[in-house]
PDB file of all heavy atoms in Angstrom:
ATOM      1  N   THR A1413     -20.026 -36.515  17.897  1.00 91.00           N
ATOM      2  CA  THR A1413     -20.518 -37.717  17.194  1.00 91.00           C
ATOM      3  C   THR A1413     -19.888 -37.843  15.816  1.00 91.00           C
ATOM      4  O   THR A1413     -20.526 -38.311  14.878  1.00 91.00           O
ATOM      5  CB  THR A1413     -22.060 -37.733  17.079  1.00 91.00           C
ATOM      6  OG1 THR A1413     -22.510 -36.684  16.202  1.00 91.00           O
ATOM      7  CG2 THR A1413     -22.712 -37.569  18.445  1.00 91.00           C
ATOM      8  N   GLY A1414     -18.631 -37.443  15.708  1.00 89.00           N
ATOM      9  CA  GLY A1414     -17.891 -37.556  14.457  1.00 89.00           C
ATOM     10  C   GLY A1414     -16.881 -38.685  14.509  1.00 89.00           C
ATOM     11  O   GLY A1414     -17.159 -39.747  15.072  1.00 89.00           O
ATOM     12  N   ALA A1415     -15.674 -38.448  13.971  1.00 88.00           N
ATOM     13  CA  ALA A1415     -14.664 -39.499  13.924  1.00 88.00           C
ATOM     14  C   ALA A1415     -13.270 -38.876  13.907  1.00 88.00           C
ATOM     15  O   ALA A1415     -13.081 -37.736  13.474  1.00 88.00           O
ATOM     16  CB  ALA A1415     -14.858 -40.392  12.710  1.00 88.00           C
ATOM     17  N   TYR A1416     -12.283 -39.657  14.388  1.00 90.00           N
ATOM     18  CA  TYR A1416     -10.885 -39.233  14.460  1.00 90.00           C
ATOM     19  C   TYR A1416     -10.028 -40.163  13.609  1.00 90.00           C
ATOM     20  O   TYR A1416     -10.309 -41.368  13.497  1.00 90.00           O
ATOM     21  CB  TYR A1416     -10.397 -39.278  15.911  1.00 90.00           C
ATOM     22  CG  TYR A1416      -8.884 -39.319  16.051  1.00 90.00           C
ATOM     23  CD1 TYR A1416      -8.141 -38.154  16.162  1.00 90.00           C
ATOM     24  CD2 TYR A1416      -8.200 -40.534  16.052  1.00 90.00           C
ATOM     25  CE1 TYR A1416      -6.755 -38.181  16.274  1.00 90.00           C
ATOM     26  CE2 TYR A1416      -6.820 -40.582  16.171  1.00 90.00           C
ATOM     27  CZ  TYR A1416      -6.096 -39.402  16.284  1.00 90.00           C
ATOM     28  OH  TYR A1416      -4.726 -39.451  16.376  1.00 90.00           O
ATOM     29  N   ALA A1417      -8.966 -39.606  13.031  1.00 86.00           N
ATOM     30  CA  ALA A1417      -7.986 -40.443  12.334  1.00 86.00           C
ATOM     31  C   ALA A1417      -6.648 -39.716  12.322  1.00 86.00           C
ATOM     32  O   ALA A1417      -6.596 -38.476  12.339  1.00 86.00           O
ATOM     33  CB  ALA A1417      -8.426 -40.745  10.905  1.00 86.00           C
ATOM     34  N   ARG A1418      -5.560 -40.490  12.336  1.00 85.00           N
ATOM     35  CA  ARG A1418      -4.225 -39.934  12.169  1.00 85.00           C
ATOM     36  C   ARG A1418      -3.761 -40.264  10.754  1.00 85.00           C
ATOM     37  O   ARG A1418      -4.019 -41.348  10.254  1.00 85.00           O
ATOM     38  CB  ARG A1418      -3.247 -40.531  13.175  1.00 85.00           C
ATOM     39  CG  ARG A1418      -1.822 -40.019  12.996  1.00 85.00           C
ATOM     40  CD  ARG A1418      -0.811 -40.769  13.827  1.00 85.00           C
ATOM     41  NE  ARG A1418      -0.935 -40.428  15.242  1.00 85.00           N
ATOM     42  CZ  ARG A1418      -1.297 -41.292  16.176  1.00 85.00           C
ATOM     43  NH1 ARG A1418      -1.594 -42.536  15.860  1.00 85.00           N
ATOM     44  NH2 ARG A1418      -1.373 -40.918  17.432  1.00 85.00           N
ATOM     45  N   PHE A1419      -3.069 -39.328  10.135  1.00 78.00           N
ATOM     46  CA  PHE A1419      -2.485 -39.640   8.834  1.00 78.00           C
ATOM     47  C   PHE A1419      -0.977 -39.479   8.904  1.00 78.00           C
ATOM     48  O   PHE A1419      -0.462 -38.640   9.643  1.00 78.00           O
ATOM     49  CB  PHE A1419      -3.088 -38.777   7.717  1.00 78.00           C
ATOM     50  CG  PHE A1419      -2.745 -37.313   7.792  1.00 78.00           C
ATOM     51  CD1 PHE A1419      -1.647 -36.797   7.109  1.00 78.00           C
ATOM     52  CD2 PHE A1419      -3.542 -36.440   8.518  1.00 78.00           C
ATOM     53  CE1 PHE A1419      -1.347 -35.446   7.167  1.00 78.00           C
ATOM     54  CE2 PHE A1419      -3.244 -35.087   8.582  1.00 78.00           C
ATOM     55  CZ  PHE A1419      -2.141 -34.590   7.901  1.00 78.00           C
ATOM     56  N   ASP A1420      -0.293 -40.292   8.148  1.00 71.00           N
ATOM     57  CA  ASP A1420       1.164 -40.294   8.093  1.00 71.00           C
ATOM     58  C   ASP A1420       1.592 -39.407   6.927  1.00 71.00           C
ATOM     59  O   ASP A1420       1.221 -39.661   5.781  1.00 71.00           O
ATOM     60  CB  ASP A1420       1.664 -41.724   7.890  1.00 71.00           C
ATOM     61  CG  ASP A1420       3.179 -41.818   7.906  1.00 71.00           C
ATOM     62  OD1 ASP A1420       3.844 -40.762   7.845  1.00 71.00           O
ATOM     63  OD2 ASP A1420       3.702 -42.948   7.960  1.00 71.00           O
ATOM     64  N   SER A1421       2.354 -38.371   7.209  1.00 67.00           N
ATOM     65  CA  SER A1421       2.754 -37.438   6.158  1.00 67.00           C
ATOM     66  C   SER A1421       3.606 -38.095   5.079  1.00 67.00           C
ATOM     67  O   SER A1421       3.726 -37.566   3.971  1.00 67.00           O
ATOM     68  CB  SER A1421       3.523 -36.258   6.761  1.00 67.00           C
ATOM     69  OG  SER A1421       4.684 -36.705   7.451  1.00 67.00           O
ATOM     70  N   SER A1422       4.169 -39.267   5.371  1.00 65.00           N
ATOM     71  CA  SER A1422       4.972 -39.968   4.363  1.00 65.00           C
ATOM     72  C   SER A1422       4.111 -40.842   3.454  1.00 65.00           C
ATOM     73  O   SER A1422       4.610 -41.440   2.520  1.00 65.00           O
ATOM     74  CB  SER A1422       6.028 -40.847   5.049  1.00 65.00           C
ATOM     75  OG  SER A1422       5.417 -41.899   5.788  1.00 65.00           O
ATOM     76  N   ALA A1423       2.809 -40.908   3.751  1.00 63.00           N
ATOM     77  CA  ALA A1423       1.896 -41.718   2.940  1.00 63.00           C
ATOM     78  C   ALA A1423       0.697 -40.862   2.542  1.00 63.00           C
ATOM     79  O   ALA A1423      -0.356 -40.922   3.169  1.00 63.00           O
ATOM     80  CB  ALA A1423       1.445 -42.957   3.721  1.00 63.00           C
ATOM     81  N   PRO A1424       0.839 -40.040   1.510  1.00 66.00           N
ATOM     82  CA  PRO A1424      -0.227 -39.113   1.130  1.00 66.00           C
ATOM     83  C   PRO A1424      -1.535 -39.786   0.764  1.00 66.00           C
ATOM     84  O   PRO A1424      -2.600 -39.180   0.863  1.00 66.00           O
ATOM     85  CB  PRO A1424       0.364 -38.365  -0.071  1.00 66.00           C
ATOM     86  CG  PRO A1424       1.482 -39.212  -0.562  1.00 66.00           C
ATOM     87  CD  PRO A1424       2.027 -39.898   0.647  1.00 66.00           C
ATOM     88  N   GLN A1425      -1.462 -41.056   0.372  1.00 70.00           N
ATOM     89  CA  GLN A1425      -2.685 -41.769   0.018  1.00 70.00           C
ATOM     90  C   GLN A1425      -3.655 -41.825   1.197  1.00 70.00           C
ATOM     91  O   GLN A1425      -4.878 -41.787   1.020  1.00 70.00           O
ATOM     92  CB  GLN A1425      -2.340 -43.194  -0.434  1.00 70.00           C
ATOM     93  CG  GLN A1425      -3.524 -44.004  -0.941  1.00 70.00           C
ATOM     94  CD  GLN A1425      -4.073 -43.440  -2.240  1.00 70.00           C
ATOM     95  OE1 GLN A1425      -3.310 -43.172  -3.158  1.00 70.00           O
ATOM     96  NE2 GLN A1425      -5.372 -43.281  -2.321  1.00 70.00           N
ATOM     97  N   GLN A1426      -3.132 -41.914   2.405  1.00 70.00           N
ATOM     98  CA  GLN A1426      -3.985 -41.979   3.596  1.00 70.00           C
ATOM     99  C   GLN A1426      -4.850 -40.735   3.718  1.00 70.00           C
ATOM    100  O   GLN A1426      -6.062 -40.821   3.925  1.00 70.00           O
ATOM    101  CB  GLN A1426      -3.126 -42.133   4.855  1.00 70.00           C
ATOM    102  CG  GLN A1426      -2.400 -43.462   4.962  1.00 70.00           C
ATOM    103  CD  GLN A1426      -1.528 -43.516   6.203  1.00 70.00           C
ATOM    104  OE1 GLN A1426      -1.282 -42.499   6.852  1.00 70.00           O
ATOM    105  NE2 GLN A1426      -1.067 -44.700   6.549  1.00 70.00           N
ATOM    106  N   LEU A1427      -4.233 -39.561   3.592  1.00 71.00           N
ATOM    107  CA  LEU A1427      -4.992 -38.327   3.699  1.00 71.00           C
ATOM    108  C   LEU A1427      -5.977 -38.199   2.540  1.00 71.00           C
ATOM    109  O   LEU A1427      -7.112 -37.754   2.722  1.00 71.00           O
ATOM    110  CB  LEU A1427      -4.054 -37.120   3.739  1.00 71.00           C
ATOM    111  CG  LEU A1427      -4.735 -35.755   3.904  1.00 71.00           C
ATOM    112  CD1 LEU A1427      -5.604 -35.725   5.160  1.00 71.00           C
ATOM    113  CD2 LEU A1427      -3.705 -34.638   3.935  1.00 71.00           C
ATOM    114  N   ALA A1428      -5.562 -38.596   1.354  1.00 72.00           N
ATOM    115  CA  ALA A1428      -6.465 -38.538   0.202  1.00 72.00           C
ATOM    116  C   ALA A1428      -7.700 -39.388   0.449  1.00 72.00           C
ATOM    117  O   ALA A1428      -8.837 -38.974   0.163  1.00 72.00           O
ATOM    118  CB  ALA A1428      -5.736 -39.014  -1.062  1.00 72.00           C
ATOM    119  N   ASP A1429      -7.516 -40.587   0.992  1.00 73.00           N
ATOM    120  CA  ASP A1429      -8.647 -41.467   1.277  1.00 73.00           C
ATOM    121  C   ASP A1429      -9.549 -40.878   2.357  1.00 73.00           C
ATOM    122  O   ASP A1429     -10.777 -40.984   2.287  1.00 73.00           O
ATOM    123  CB  ASP A1429      -8.142 -42.845   1.730  1.00 73.00           C
ATOM    124  CG  ASP A1429      -7.608 -43.676   0.567  1.00 73.00           C
ATOM    125  OD1 ASP A1429      -7.802 -43.274  -0.589  1.00 73.00           O
ATOM    126  OD2 ASP A1429      -7.006 -44.730   0.833  1.00 73.00           O
ATOM    127  N   LEU A1430      -8.950 -40.275   3.382  1.00 75.00           N
ATOM    128  CA  LEU A1430      -9.740 -39.683   4.457  1.00 75.00           C
ATOM    129  C   LEU A1430     -10.601 -38.532   3.933  1.00 75.00           C
ATOM    130  O   LEU A1430     -11.792 -38.427   4.244  1.00 75.00           O
ATOM    131  CB  LEU A1430      -8.818 -39.183   5.568  1.00 75.00           C
ATOM    132  CG  LEU A1430      -8.123 -40.257   6.408  1.00 75.00           C
ATOM    133  CD1 LEU A1430      -7.027 -39.632   7.265  1.00 75.00           C
ATOM    134  CD2 LEU A1430      -9.119 -40.999   7.277  1.00 75.00           C
TER     135      LEU A1430
END
Side-chain angles (χ1 to χ4, degrees):
T1413 68
Y1416 160 91
R1418 178 190 287 115
F1419 68 93
D1420 183 348
S1421 59
S1422 66
Q1425 185 67 48
Q1426 292 178 347
L1427 182 56
D1429 285 350
L1430 289 168

